[in-house]
Amino acid sequence: MRLVRRALLILLAALLAAVLGFLYYKTQGVDFARQVRVNEHLRNLKAIDAQWNESILRSRTELLAVDAGGALPRDPVARELSGLAEEARAMNHPVLVAGVASLATLYDRKLDLMTDYWRRATAFRNALRELLAALPPAQLQVREAAAQPGARVPEYLRTDLDQLAALAIEFSSISDDALAEQITAVEARLLAGATWLPPGAREPVMLVSTRLATMRQTKPGRDTLYQQLSFFPTAPRTDTLGASFAQSFQVEVDERELYRVYLIAYSAALLIFLGYVGVQLFRSYRVINDVNAKLKRANETLEHKVSARTRELSDALKHLKESETMLVQSEKMSSLGQMVAGVAHEINTPLAYVKSSLETITTQLPSISSIVHETEVLLAMLQQGQATEAEVTDQFARVAEMAEALREHEAVDTMEKLVKDGLYGIDQIADLVANLKDFSRLDRNKVARFDLREGLESTLQIARNLVKHKDVRKVFGEIPLVSCSPSQINQVFLNLVTNAAQATPENGGIIRITTRHASPAEVTVDVEDNGHGIPPDVVPKIFDPFFTTKDVGKGTGLGLSIAYKIVQQHGGRIDVKSVVGKGTRFTVTLPVEPAAPA
Ligand SMILES: Nc1ncnc2c1ncn2[C@@H]1O[C@H](COP(=O)(O)OP(=O)(O)O)[C@@H](O)[C@H]1O
Ligand SMILES: [Mg+2]
């Protein structure tokens, strides 16, 4: 959704920019320099045309000018036209292109006409010149002939010749039918008049007539061309083209102005829009800023709260650890209590018969001490030799009687037996105390290389009261010494053995303890019983602290959880397998060398 919105926004921005670009492009279309160049070309063309017209006009007024016109150069016109065509093409201006093409044809045609005209004008001029050159000799001849006596030279011949120069020049510059007829008449009169002259004078007059005829014949062609050229539409057509170009240019300029207005309006709208967006952005920026500030404040409060909560939690954790230690301690005290009860019971039995032996011995002691006394009296009598024989015999008989009585009662043998019994009892007590010391190992928590079998033995000794009616089967396989904390491991064993004893019936309970060197790095101890077993739904809970199925005072529910923790700290594990009604097997697996010190 956000992706689509972003794409749409980008599209909109691109569209706005494209419209702006289009409007800008539209305002850039007109090239004034080009217009100036086009106008210049047109102006130049017109100037050339005007030059041409002027030269044609001059050809009429300056009739005898030397080399009027001559070969016409096409280059300047061609240059202007090609320049114009180039601009038209560059502007891609169809009207101008077509106009320039037709203008070029027009100018070409005018040039052709002019060439023709110049040819004819030159011929006419030559005829005029020759005529004017031929006039003076003719006039001379006529005057001389007329001066001859008896000459019959018509008068009109002289007047004709005298007026002919003016007439010819008039005829050259004015197209007039009457004038042409007059020329034809003069021509005829000259031919006719020449016959009146003497043969030698005829020639020049006839020459004048011939020249006049030539002039008359060449003039119409020249005049027609002149007429054509006079009305040749190069100038108006050039003007028209210029005007239409100017018009189309104006249209373009107007269009550009229109687009400029559009551009300004669009830019203004865009600016307003951008301003609006900016204001919106600024607003949202302010909102974001506010929210940020609030968040920051909330964060600070939160941090405070978190640190307070962390403190509380760490306090709670400390408390928890303390209570855990206390619990562990209490479990230890509890098992210690059980153990002490067992041990006290164990000590009580030997202690009882040591006591009774000593009591028995105490009852025998007076008779022995009186024998000793009577024997001492007898010995003193014999030593001093003052007593009578009868007194000695009497004393001897008393001692013998007492000794006989002692022998009869087997008092010494009994005492010997009692002392032996007492010593045996004391040995038993000493044994127990030694085991107790072994079991609890005063060097608590210290890691040592320990024979687990030894630990199992002392555990069984400690728990003797619990297991004395059970069939305890020790299947001790050969195992290496294990690096561990012996007192902790003994605590594990004691708990397992205690649980096994408590789970088995009073009679017929079997507890099998097996040690195995399971793998080169591990040793396992199985404590197996044929007790009531653990239901499968209970098995997952037995390692939980305080989970117990036993009566209050009998179980704390901490034994297995502590055992689990101890074994885990040693890098080992406890597994359990149990079938309800058949029995339970706990397997403790310990590494021979724990990875980290326990
Ligand atoms: N060998 C066993 N046979 C049957 N149940 C056992 C055995 N060992 C432990 N349990 C069960 O596991 C529970 C938890 O044992 P433990 O953590 O040692 O606590 P406690 O012995 O104090 O009850 C016992 O209450 C008992 O239900
Ligand atoms: Mg227990």
Side-chain angles (χ1 to χ4, degrees):
M1 199 55 216
R2 263 180 63 186
L3 216 71
V4 171
R5 244 180 62 188
R6 189 173 293 178
L8 279 177
L9 270 177
I10 289 170
L11 209 71
L12 181 69
L15 202 73
L16 289 175
V19 170
L20 193 69
F22 172 73
L23 288 177
Y24 179 74
Y25 168 76
K26 277 293 190 184
T27 60
Q28 296 300 306
V30 181
D31 187 346
F32 283 100
R34 189 149 276 155
Q35 191 213 17
V36 168
R37 282 201 298 276
V38 168
N39 284 340
E40 201 176 286
H41 285 309
L42 289 171
R43 215 172 33 246
N44 289 347
L45 271 179
K46 274 189 75 181
I48 290 168
D49 191 44
Q51 248 173 27
W52 286 352
N53 289 347
E54 193 199 320
S55 67
I56 291 165
L57 207 63
R58 231 185 300 134
S59 74
R60 293 292 289 259
T61 50
E62 299 166 16
L63 282 174
L64 299 174
V66 188
D67 266 346
L72 281 167
R74 276 173 185 258
D75 282 1
V77 180
R79 211 183 306 129
E80 299 301 334
L81 281 170
S82 79
L84 210 52
E86 199 176 300
E87 298 297 342
R89 266 200 309 279
M91 273 188 287
N92 201 15
H93 199 300
V95 179
L96 201 59
V97 171
V100 170
S102 76
L103 210 59
T105 336
L106 210 62
Y107 273 89
D108 261 1
R109 264 186 54 213
K110 185 162 180 174
L111 265 172
D112 288 346
L113 281 180
M114 275 172 64
T115 314
D116 206 10
Y117 171 77
W118 282 124
R119 198 164 40 74
R120 285 171 194 263
T122 311
F124 181 78
R125 183 201 60 190
N126 288 345
L128 183 61
R129 269 189 198 164
E130 280 162 12
L131 174 76
L132 291 180
L135 265 180
Q139 281 171 317
L140 193 67
Q141 291 295 329
V142 169
R143 224 169 278 137
E144 277 178 1
Q148 295 288 318
R152 287 172 56 200
V153 177
E155 183 57 32
Y156 67 84
L157 205 58
R158 211 166 49 87
T159 29
D160 271 352
L161 280 176
D162 283 350
Q163 289 168 0
L164 192 57
L167 188 69
I169 284 170
E170 196 183 1
F171 175 69
S172 304
S173 43
I174 295 168
S175 296
D176 188 11
D177 289 345
L179 218 55
E181 273 167 30
Q182 211 179 330
I183 290 288
T184 317
V186 171
E187 197 187 307
R189 278 207 298 274
L190 284 178
L191 277 182
T195 48
W196 297 94
L197 294 174
R202 269 184 216 162
E203 260 326 289
V205 176
M206 289 196 30
L207 189 67
V208 169
S209 173
T210 322
R211 295 288 181 252
L212 204 55
T214 315
M215 236 180 86
R216 185 179 44 80
Q217 281 154 14
T218 48
K219 188 172 181 257
R222 188 202 72 156
D223 282 359
T224 318
L225 279 171
Y226 178 80
Q227 285 296 322
Q228 277 182 15
L229 281 172
S230 295
F231 298 103
F232 205 78
T234 35
R237 289 282 287 277
T238 311
D239 283 345
T240 313
L241 185 67
S244 75
F245 172 68
Q247 197 187 1
S248 72
F249 190 79
Q250 192 53 45
V251 168
E252 251 180 63
V253 168
D254 289 351
E255 193 180 69
R256 192 189 66 153
E257 276 311 309
L258 195 67
Y259 274 110
R260 184 168 284 180
V261 171
Y262 288 162
L263 181 67
I264 288 167
Y266 182 75
S267 303
L270 210 61
L271 265 180
I272 290 168
F273 175 67
L274 282 179
Y276 172 75
V277 169
V279 167
Q280 290 298 335
L281 272 180
F282 182 70
R283 268 195 203 150
S284 30
Y285 172 77
R286 256 197 358 219
V287 169
I288 286 171
N289 244 7
D290 282 2
V291 170
N292 250 359
K294 275 183 197 158
L295 264 178
K296 214 173 148 191
R297 274 199 299 277
N299 236 5
E300 275 163 16
T301 330
L302 199 71
E303 261 169 34
H304 266 97
K305 278 186 185 164
V306 165
S307 68
R309 183 53 58 86
T310 310
R311 252 200 318 279
E312 275 171 29
L313 277 176
S314 70
D315 283 358
L317 190 72
K318 220 167 94 188
H319 273 115
L320 209 66
K321 274 197 172 151
E322 277 169 13
S323 15
E324 194 197 359
T325 322
M326 273 164 69
L327 278 171
V328 169
Q329 201 58 34
S330 83
E331 159 66 15
K332 274 185 199 158
M333 292 309 285
S334 156
S335 44
L336 202 71
Q338 285 181 17
M339 205 176 75
V340 165
V343 169
H345 186 86
E346 284 304 305
I347 289 175
N348 245 359
T349 317
L351 204 63
Y353 54 78
V354 168
K355 192 183 170 200
S356 83
S357 300
L358 287 178
E359 275 169 3
T360 316
I361 289 167
T362 312
T363 55
Q364 303 286 334
L365 271 180
S367 55
I368 290 172
S369 71
S370 58
I371 270 195
V372 170
H373 176 72
E374 291 306 325
T375 309
E376 273 172 359
V377 171
L378 180 63
L379 280 176
M381 279 177 178
L382 289 174
Q383 225 167 22
Q384 287 160 7
Q386 290 168 352
T388 59
E389 199 170 323
E391 278 173 336
V392 170
T393 312
D394 215 26
Q395 186 61 24
F396 186 81
R398 199 178 294 138
V399 170
E401 192 186 333
M402 285 171 96
E404 181 59 33
L406 266 181
R407 202 178 306 115
E408 256 177 31
H409 282 102
E410 294 177 333
V412 175
D413 285 355
T414 312
M415 268 172 70
E416 227 176 56
K417 198 173 157 277
L418 282 173
V419 167
K420 262 190 191 158
D421 279 0
L423 280 175
Y424 177 71
I426 283 169
D427 271 355
Q428 268 193 327
I429 291 169
D431 241 26
L432 260 174
V433 169
N435 266 320
L436 207 58
K437 228 173 89 184
D438 252 16
F439 180 82
S440 65
R441 288 245 175 172
L442 293 172
D443 51 351
R444 297 189 84 83
N445 298 335
K446 250 199 183 162
V447 176
R449 304 189 120 283
F450 183 50
D451 188 343
L452 297 185
R453 292 171 294 188
E454 221 177 90
L456 288 166
E457 289 288 7
S458 55
T459 301
L460 286 172
Q461 282 298 323
I462 293 299
R464 194 158 65 187
N465 190 41
L466 267 172
V467 299
K468 62 185 163 199
H469 300 300
K470 316 287 177 189
D471 178 0
V472 177
R473 298 177 186 172
K474 294 183 273 186
V475 190
F476 286 177
E478 204 48 52
I479 51 168
L481 298 178
V482 169
S483 280
C484 65
S485 162
S487 67
Q488 289 188 356
I489 294 298
N490 280 347
Q491 201 180 339
V492 174
F493 291 157
L494 180 65
N495 191 264
L496 294 181
V497 170
T498 308
N499 282 348
Q502 286 173 343
T504 43
E506 205 53 49
N507 294 309
I510 302 170
I511 299 174
R512 182 202 293 271
I513 301 176
T514 315
T515 63
R516 267 178 299 130
H517 191 185
S519 73
E522 283 177 337
V523 168
T524 57
V525 176
D526 290 341
V527 179
E528 206 175 343
D529 63 61
N530 63 341
H532 50 66
I534 311 170
D537 58 316
V538 175
V539 170
K541 301 185 210 161
I542 57 171
F543 293 104
D544 293 348
F546 304 114
F547 177 80
T548 181
T549 55
K550 293 168 192 170
D551 297 336
V552 182
K554 257 205 151 180
T556 59
L558 283 169
L560 279 181
S561 76
I562 290 171
Y564 187 88
K565 204 167 165 188
I566 290 172
V567 173
Q568 200 183 35
Q569 278 171 354
H570 278 77
R573 60 180 186 276
I574 298 187
D575 300 304
V576 61
K577 208 168 174 192
S578 186
V579 179
V580 175
K582 280 249 166 107
T584 306
R585 180 171 73 217
F586 281 94
T587 304
V588 176
T589 307
L590 285 173
V592 176
E593 281 301 336

